[in-house]
Amino acid sequence: MAGRRRGWSIGAVGLALLLSLAGCGGTGTDEARTEVQHLLDRRSAALLGHDGTAYDATGVPSEYTRLRALPLASWSYKVTAVRRTSSGATADADLNYRVAGYDKAPVDARRTLTLGRTADGKWYVTSDSPAKGAGQQLWDQGPVTAVRGAHSLVLGTGLTATGLSGYAALADRAVPAVSRAWGTGWSRHVVVLVPRSLKDMGGLLGSPAANYRGIAAVTTGEAGGSGRAPADRVVVNPEAYAVLGDVGKQVVLTHETTHVATRAQTTAATPLWLSEGYADWIGYLGTGRTPTEAAPELTRAVRDGHAPTELPSDNDFGFTSDPAELAQAYEGGWLACRMIAAHWGTARLGAFYRAVGAHERRAGAVEDALKNVLGTTPEAFTERWREYVRSQLA
């Protein structure tokens, strides 16, 4: 998710290649692409074989130290383009890799590599970085340290194994807690990424760091799918996470682990009040936190005479929203799920979540699930929720 330059001499072979690349035909470009592909194949094999000497021979010796702690099941590049430059070439490539024991399918990452050429015409890598518009990978930010837990893998930069072990302990408690509420039909393990700073968190997510200020953690990965997608990554904001108490830290990791567990049943039809509220519901189970303790912003609004009249919309959950309004959205979703569990039972809550996600489209998904699973209507449900919010927080 960086390199020592070598001298480059054009020589007779290099001149021939330069002329062919500059020509109208594609033969030279195709030849270069094949050569670079072979180079990256050797590089991948060296990494998977834990052969640092062979890896260093392909270029950027310092990069192996960043990657060697990653427990990899696979690692490969597919070169998509090669362009000649004054100092060598640049290549576009799709990197596919799997973390051993965690990823069901390869994670895809678009990369841009710069290449030099030796006097005898051999390519070597001088840098390997994210393609324009692509997020960083953790190793782009420094050497990766890995800590394995019973149900977790924590990968971090800037922290020792001892520093990361606390995250593993919390994640190991989160996984069985989620399974008790949701069921065991998921991978039952989680990968946690701990970057060095909020800025680095933004780099991993490919978004401005300011979007995540005050957000303790997020979960990556597309919603829905066939269940063949790779495991989600829980990405921690070390700055916001550090100010939380022990209970808060556990709630955050359990919340994010819930997203990993429910991802296959979370589709475009699932409103955020349900997906975020359900994750908070599991997160707070067993903590002993009262509604006024767990929903302070909504409590303040209710007591100030500004109780909500509608369930939170998806727009209310935007990370760029006002912090108080964002908190109220999460708290409102949590209370909705808490109400379902209290009135209809925890099993019905899980069934309701799955029924909503079973729809391919948003239209009618919640309405049908309310009718078929809870035996109510959107209007009656919303009214019950309004009364519940007031009764719990007044």
Side-chain angles (χ1 to χ4, degrees), residues 61-354:
S62 62
E63 190 171 88
Y64 181 73
T65 62
R66 296 180 173 218
L67 291 163
R68 62 187 177 188
L70 284 172
L72 294 169
S74 65
W75 178 281
S76 63
Y77 294 89
K78 180 180 179 181
V79 178
T80 58
V82 175
R83 296 174 298 279
R84 187 69 174 159
T85 67
S86 59
S87 58
T90 62
D92 296 331
D94 293 329
L95 170 64
N96 296 303
Y97 69 93
R98 284 192 301 118
V99 171
Y102 291 86
D103 294 340
K104 298 177 182 178
V107 176
D108 300 323
R110 294 185 297 112
R111 309 291 290 182
T112 296
L113 300 97
T114 59
L115 304 152
R117 224 171 179 208
T118 63
D120 59 354
K122 294 181 179 178
W123 293 106
Y124 61 90
V125 177
T126 61
S127 72
D128 181 348
S129 57
K132 184 178 180 179
Q136 293 178 320
Q137 299 295 313
L138 191 63
W139 61 84
D140 289 319
Q141 301 176 352
V144 174
T145 300
V147 172
R148 287 184 180 273
H151 307 289
S152 62
L153 174 67
V154 181
L155 305 173
T157 55
L159 286 176
T160 64
T162 300
L164 295 175
S165 62
Y167 293 93
L170 292 170
D172 283 347
R173 287 195 289 271
V175 169
V178 172
S179 293
R180 285 193 295 271
W182 176 250
T184 58
W186 62 292
S187 64
R188 286 177 287 170
H189 52 227
V190 63
V191 179
V192 181
L193 305 185
V194 186
R196 186 179 288 105
S197 65
L198 169 62
K199 179 181 178 181
D200 286 343
M201 178 193 191
L204 293 176
L205 298 169
S207 299
N211 288 357
Y212 306 101
R213 194 177 306 279
I215 304 298
V218 299
T219 303
T220 65
E222 297 179 0
S226 62
R228 296 180 61 253
D232 294 308
R233 305 304 194 236
V234 174
V235 185
V236 173
N237 173 358
E239 298 172 17
Y241 195 82
V243 303
L244 297 174
D246 292 342
V247 172
K249 290 176 179 178
Q250 185 65 71
V251 169
V252 165
L253 274 186
T254 305
H255 173 112
E256 301 303 335
T257 300
T258 302
H259 285 315
V260 175
T262 60
R263 200 264 296 270
Q265 284 76 38
T266 306
T267 68
T270 310
L272 287 175
W273 70 259
L274 178 57
S275 60
E276 297 299 340
Y278 187 74
D280 265 354
W281 176 73
I282 293 182
Y284 279 111
L285 285 176
T287 65
R289 293 295 176 92
T290 65
T292 55
E293 291 172 333
E297 293 296 338
L298 204 51
T299 297
R300 188 174 296 111
V302 169
R303 293 178 179 179
D304 288 345
H306 302 296
T309 59
E310 300 293 337
L311 287 159
S313 70
D314 282 5
N315 289 337
D316 293 332
F317 289 89
F319 287 164
T320 57
S321 301
D322 175 82
E325 294 178 357
L326 177 61
Q328 289 179 30
Y330 276 86
E331 293 164 5
W334 170 65
L335 283 167
C337 291
R338 188 174 187 268
M339 179 189 75
I340 294 172
H343 185 75
W344 285 279
T346 58
R348 288 277 191 92
L349 173 58
F352 175 71
Y353 193 107
R354 290 175 168 88

